[in-house]
Amino acid sequence: MEIKSNLIGIIGAMDEEINEYLANAEDLYSEIWNGFEFHRGKMAGKDVLIAKSGLGKVFAAMVCQKIINTYEPEKIIFTGLAGALNKDLEIGDVVISHDCMYHDLETEALGYSRGAIPYTDYKIFLADEQLKNLALETMLPNNKVIAGRILTGDQFMTRAKIKEFAYLTEELKGDVVEMEGAAVGHVCTVNQIPFVIARTVSDKADGEAGLDFNKFLDKAAKNSWQVVKTILNKL
Ligand code: ADE
């Protein structure tokens, strides 16, 4: 697809993040499509399109493809929360995608390894180097920002589940688990749009996961904004 604009698409999974973005944007103009809101405006001097995807792979893919078709962005940034798999990660740390993949796509019977999309070469979606490196320059007062592998599936991981999901770390070498990133990586890769995913750790994918997630939305929104601001300022 030919890129006609220098617009940056920014997708957040939740209201709290979108509200933080909108509070830092100007000249906003909003449109609605199938109940999703798309906000065009300027942020840190750049043209942006801000949208909330909601949870899960399908909504994330729909919103991402809609942004690409209608607004023709040059790049896409996705932000949200994640459960930590890597033991070095603490609550509040941010993982920037080196790459992302589905953990719940399993077609071994057809001869494919976990995450591979049958009858295609797609499996691991590589983030854009420039966006990743800019995002890694984000400074947070009390937390680290590292590059890693983001695993995506339509499951919220808890301690009860994590036992059946040992392959997330052992086989797939994931740093965090979440529910949208690889869908965005997949859509962007097929459309040849550079992308990056930034995830703030809200829980350790353990027994407290649901509680921590809700407690954590405001902090995540602040971290997501720091990452987006850093990228936009340096682009
Ligand atoms: N997003 C935040 N925490 C998560 C978890 N534990 N599992 C899946 N997605 C998440």
Side-chain angles (χ1 to χ4, degrees), residues 81-83 155-158 177-179 202-203 205-206 209 213:
L81 293 171
Q155 294 83 12
F156 192 92
M157 292 296 163
T158 57
V177 62
E178 43 83 301
M179 300 173 69
S202 60
D203 56 82
D206 58 15
F213 181 87

Side-chain angles (χ1 to χ4, degrees), residues 1 3 6-12 38 49 51 60-79 97 126-128 131-132 181 183-185 187-189 191-198 228 231-232 235:
M1 169 187 242
I3 306 296
N6 55 5
L7 181 104
I8 313 294
I10 301 167
I11 311 173
F38 296 83
L49 187 286
M62 285 176 72
V63 165
C64 190
Q65 187 66 56
K66 168 69 181 171
I67 292 174
I68 292 170
N69 288 355
T70 305
Y71 303 98
E72 301 182 344
E74 188 189 356
K75 304 171 195 299
I76 290 193
I77 305 169
F78 186 98
T79 64
S97 58
L126 271 184
D128 178 67
L131 288 174
K132 180 188 80 178
V184 170
V187 170
C188 286
T189 302
N191 287 273
Q192 296 180 286
I193 306 287
F195 75 93
V196 72
I197 317 288
V228 166
I231 297 177
L232 293 182
L235 263 179

